[in-house]
């Protein structure tokens, strides 16, 4: 079967453009992919369009508006989720404008679809006493208790996202001149964050205890689980909930 122009553009977009030229994270690409999976499901079930025959000519403002309405009324998506899906469509339209200029007008029409207004989420935070209570809970007489305390201090001190924290390698921590950690975030953008003396002390002790202070360990992940594998997002969530006394604590709140 001969591939359609839509299939070619989508494949190139996800396999080459997003990871290669844009350098987006796996999580962002996964979110974009989910948007298109739902779009294809909508085309198949609601529009009776065979996915293998979907063309760029059919990818237009009317289709996207109907898709957004389907997300609202049938899927029951919130305004923020609907906006997230539309933003992914807009990003693809901007890509198409340079790759397929013959549909420039259609792309501009889709870009004119506006995001929904939605209430700003309430910003939650912890008091100094609440932070102190959390940091006092890990059992520092036990190896993984000391690891958990180091993780909590680092999250609090740096404001790191979970993805930034779990991707820290030993070489990203420096103690010369002044303590600093290099964090790699969305789009592979890096930032160096200075550390408070107490956090640096916990980190230095953790690195020595786990024999990560050798040249051979420089590329190892800083934080690992009981199987000596890189900690996952779920692992960090478990650690946060373990010491939060039932309250839902996230890295952003901390």
């Amino acid at each position: 079967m001969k591939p359609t122009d839509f299939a070619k553009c989508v494949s190139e977009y996800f396999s080459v453009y997003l990871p290669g030229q844009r350098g987006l994270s796996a999580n962002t690409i996964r979110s974009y992919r989910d948007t298109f999976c739902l779009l294809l499901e909508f085309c198949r079930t609601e529009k009776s369009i065979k996915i293998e025959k979907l063309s760029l000519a059919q990818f237009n403002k009317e289709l996207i508006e109907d898709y957004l309405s389907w997300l609202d009324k049938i899927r029951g998506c919130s305004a923020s989720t609907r906006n997230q899906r539309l933003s992914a469509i807009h990003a693809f339209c901007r890509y198409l404008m340079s790759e397929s200029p013959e549909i420039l007008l259609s792309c501009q029409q889709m870009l004119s679809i506006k995001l929904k207004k939605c209430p700003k989420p309430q910003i939650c935070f912890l008091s100094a006493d609440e932070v102190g209570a959390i940091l006092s809970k890990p059992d520092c007489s036990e190896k993984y208790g000391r690891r958990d305390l180091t993780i909590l201090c680092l999250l609090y001190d740096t404001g790191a996202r979970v993805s930034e924290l779990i991707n820290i390698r030993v070489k990203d921590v420096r103690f010369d001149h002044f303590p600093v950690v290099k964090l790699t975030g969305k789009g592979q953008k890096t930032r160096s964050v200075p550390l408070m003396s107490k956090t640096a002390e916990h980190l230095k002790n953790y690195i020595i205890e786990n024999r990560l202070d050798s040249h051979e360990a420089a590329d190892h992940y800083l934080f690992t689980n009981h199987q000596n594998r890189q900690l996952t997002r779920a692992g960090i969530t478990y650690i946060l909930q373990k010491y939060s006394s039932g309250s839902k604590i996230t890295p952003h709140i901390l």
Side-chain angles (χ1 to χ4, degrees):
M1 178 181 293
K2 184 179 180 181
T4 63
D5 52 2
F6 181 80
K8 289 180 180 177
C9 286
V10 170
S11 296
E12 185 79 9
Y13 183 66
F14 280 98
S15 63
V16 178
Y17 180 74
L18 291 181
Q21 296 186 37
R22 287 288 308 279
L24 297 185
S25 69
N27 288 334
T28 301
I29 294 174
R30 192 177 300 116
S31 175
Y32 282 19
R33 182 202 64 191
D34 291 344
T35 295
F36 279 82
C37 286
L38 286 171
L39 176 62
L40 294 175
E41 179 186 341
F42 165 75
C43 289
R44 180 176 57 83
T45 60
E46 303 296 319
K47 293 293 186 179
S48 299
I49 300 173
K50 291 184 178 180
I51 294 175
E52 64 271 20
K53 293 187 177 181
L54 183 61
S55 66
L56 286 177
Q58 295 169 295
F59 183 71
N60 53 38
K61 183 180 181 181
E62 181 183 357
L63 179 73
I64 299 307
E65 287 179 332
D66 289 346
Y67 168 58
L68 295 173
S69 178
W70 176 74
L71 291 176
D72 286 338
K73 298 175 182 178
I74 306 301
R75 299 280 301 186
C77 293
S78 65
S80 60
T81 299
R82 182 258 192 200
N83 289 343
Q84 185 181 27
R85 303 302 182 205
L86 179 56
S87 294
I89 297 293
H90 281 173
F92 182 60
C93 287
R94 294 187 184 95
Y95 166 78
L96 285 178
M97 288 170 72
S98 59
E99 296 296 318
S100 302
E102 67 275 11
I103 61 167
L104 184 62
L105 177 59
S106 180
C107 288
Q108 289 178 334
Q109 290 171 339
M110 285 184 279
L111 286 168
S112 71
I113 301 174
K114 297 186 181 299
L115 300 175
K116 264 190 175 181
K117 289 185 178 180
C118 53
K120 293 181 179 180
Q122 182 180 2
I123 298 175
C124 300
F125 62 93
L126 300 173
S127 68
D129 288 342
E130 289 172 323
V131 173
I134 291 173
L135 296 180
S136 69
K137 288 183 178 179
D139 182 3
C140 291
S141 67
E142 192 266 332
K143 176 181 178 180
Y144 286 102
R146 292 190 291 274
R147 180 206 63 180
D148 293 350
L149 177 59
T150 304
I151 287 173
L152 292 171
C153 287
L154 197 58
L155 283 172
Y156 175 68
D157 197 355
T158 65
R161 298 181 177 90
V162 172
S163 59
E164 292 176 327
L165 181 81
I166 62 178
N167 285 314
I168 296 175
R169 296 181 186 269
V170 176
K171 65 183 178 183
D172 295 327
V173 182
R174 302 291 297 273
F175 296 106
D176 49 346
H177 302 302
F178 56 87
V180 64
V181 61
K182 184 176 76 172
L183 302 176
T184 302
K186 293 182 177 180
Q188 296 301 303
K189 294 179 180 177
T190 62
R191 56 193 175 101
S192 293
V193 184
L195 300 173
M196 293 188 292
S197 58
K198 196 65 178 177
T199 303
E201 181 183 340
H202 286 308
L203 259 178
K204 186 176 291 187
N205 291 337
Y206 170 82
I207 287 173
I208 293 172
E209 178 182 8
N210 290 275
R211 299 178 181 179
L212 296 173
D213 51 343
S214 65
H215 178 73
E216 292 76 16
D219 284 318
H220 291 186
Y221 286 111
L222 182 61
F223 296 115
T224 54
N225 58 24
H226 289 249
Q227 289 76 43
N228 204 32
R229 296 174 181 169
Q230 179 190 18
L231 269 179
T232 63
R233 299 178 70 88
I236 297 298
T237 299
Y238 172 78
I239 290 170
L240 286 173
Q241 296 311 309
K242 181 179 179 180
Y243 302 112
S244 60
S245 301
S247 303
K248 187 175 181 181
I249 304 298
T250 67
H252 283 164
I253 292 175
L254 190 60

